[in-house]
Amino acid sequence: MHPAASVILFTTASGAGYGLLALLGLLAPIGAVPSGSWFGFTALGLSLGLITLGLLSSTFHLGHRERAWRAMSQWRSSWLSREGVSALATYLPAGLFGIVWIFFGAVSGFLGVLAAIGGAVTVYCTGMIYRSLKPIRRWHNPLVVPVYLAFALMTGALWLNVLARLFGEGSSLLSLIVLLSIVLAWALKVRYWRAVDNATGESTPGTATGLGRFGEVRLLDPPHTQENYLMREMGFQVARKHSEKLRHLALGIGFFIPVVFAFMLVFVGGGYGAFLALVTAIGGSIGVVIERWLFFAEAKHTVTLYYGEQAA
């Protein structure tokens, strides 16, 4: 599948934003993060800014952006529509949570939990958009949604830790959440890669045409003399050696280095702690961007079997 920059930006930015919003909604009421109005303004501003940036960027992948609002009406059958509805609905408790916190100095646990639930539901719907697509084997996997949720939690925790330390009030609970969220996302991603790499029952030209019982089915001539839309969007090619290198980069930059730094952050505070937290967050975010690119680039739609692919 074509790894469009707009979709990669959407999944990474909105995931981090919703993760940050959910953690703020759950941790601020219990005092695990700074409770000052300026911290609330900065943290919620970053969270809602990332969410809005991601949602806006997703519209650039649409052929007719002016019709995007119509997708909202299909929530009964479409995970894309459900994602849009839940994304818009989450703004209400998140906005009220921020207004009460910033202007009245009170952190509402009720509104915080509602905002956290809205963020989690939206990320779940995003993951289900891909999980529900049966013609794409690498996406139609039960680990896709847990990976989406874990990545949102990890990136949200990383950036919340940066803000808390910049305001001089990093907590041991937050440091523990950062460490555990990286380990969780790392473990789920490695398990997902192993599952899709070792999966059996791949579609072939024989199964696609129903002629496999007569022997090997192969393409004699391409159906098109020039590249068409299906070949551009659903037939993206990435060499195996490049894919393996990028996987190693994602694991090293996105998980290994952040987990080492996150462990060091348990014992480091002050300005050095804030700097270390910033490096950890940047590394984790870069790793997630690489992983998101691979998530799209490695996926093959079964329609590619009609254009020369031997398996999908």
Side-chain angles (χ1 to χ4, degrees):
M1 302 296 289
H2 178 232
S6 58
V7 179
I8 294 172
L9 176 61
F10 161 61
T11 55
T12 53
S14 64
Y18 283 121
L20 178 55
L21 176 64
L23 288 171
L24 281 171
L26 297 176
L27 297 181
I30 63 174
V33 295
S35 58
S37 297
W38 277 111
F39 177 79
F41 174 79
T42 306
L44 283 169
L46 177 61
S47 168
L48 295 177
L50 287 171
I51 291 170
T52 305
L53 174 65
L55 294 176
L56 290 176
S57 70
S58 67
T59 64
F60 286 95
H61 196 60
L62 301 176
H64 293 278
R65 288 189 286 276
E66 73 279 4
R67 302 175 188 171
W69 63 272
R70 293 183 179 178
M72 301 292 180
S73 63
Q74 305 303 311
W75 57 271
R76 292 182 181 85
S77 59
S78 167
W79 283 104
L80 178 65
S81 179
R82 292 166 189 160
E83 178 203 43
V85 171
S86 62
L88 291 180
T90 302
Y91 276 108
L92 179 60
L96 293 175
F97 181 59
I99 290 172
V100 172
W101 187 352
I102 295 167
F103 294 102
F104 299 97
V107 181
S108 170
F110 176 70
L111 291 173
V113 170
L114 286 182
I117 292 173
V121 169
T122 305
V123 175
Y124 177 83
C125 291
T126 304
M128 282 303 298
I129 293 173
Y130 303 100
R131 169 71 175 87
S132 62
L133 297 176
K134 293 182 180 179
I136 305 175
R137 181 177 60 83
R138 285 181 173 270
W139 291 355
H140 189 60
N141 184 289
L143 288 171
V144 166
V145 173
V147 168
Y148 261 83
L149 291 169
F151 275 31
L153 176 65
M154 183 189 85
T155 48
L158 287 172
W159 286 106
L160 179 58
N161 192 37
V162 173
L163 295 177
R165 288 178 178 271
L166 286 175
F167 278 78
E169 295 184 35
S171 68
S172 56
L173 175 60
L174 182 56
S175 298
L176 182 62
I177 291 174
V178 170
L179 189 59
L180 292 179
S181 65
I182 298 172
V183 173
L184 175 64
W186 188 353
L188 286 174
K189 191 62 207 183
V190 171
R191 187 176 176 186
Y192 165 80
W193 275 335
R194 287 179 179 171
V196 295
D197 289 344
N198 299 325
T200 57
E202 294 181 345
S203 298
T204 64
T207 61
T209 59
L211 300 174
R213 63 183 182 279
F214 298 115
E216 183 183 357
V217 178
R218 60 188 178 86
L219 188 69
L220 295 178
D221 290 304
H224 291 266
T225 55
Q226 290 183 327
E227 190 179 56
N228 62 14
Y229 173 81
L230 292 177
M231 296 168 72
R232 287 194 302 272
E233 289 296 316
M234 303 180 185
F236 187 84
Q237 300 284 342
V238 54
R240 184 177 179 82
K241 63 178 182 180
H242 296 314
S243 177
E244 290 178 353
K245 287 179 182 177
L246 288 172
R247 284 190 182 189
H248 292 152
L249 275 177
L251 292 175
I253 299 174
F255 300 113
F256 180 73
I257 294 176
V259 83
V260 171
F261 282 14
F263 181 75
M264 294 168 61
L265 278 169
V266 177
F267 308 100
V268 179
Y272 291 111
F275 176 74
L276 205 57
L278 179 61
V279 174
T280 307
I282 293 174
S285 300
I286 292 174
V288 170
V289 170
I290 297 173
E291 184 280 332
R292 289 292 90 182
W293 190 90
L294 278 171
F295 179 73
F296 289 95
E298 291 185 321
K300 291 181 182 177
H301 196 287
T302 51
V303 75
T304 57
L305 296 173
Y306 294 95
Y307 296 93
E309 286 289 340
Q310 293 304 305

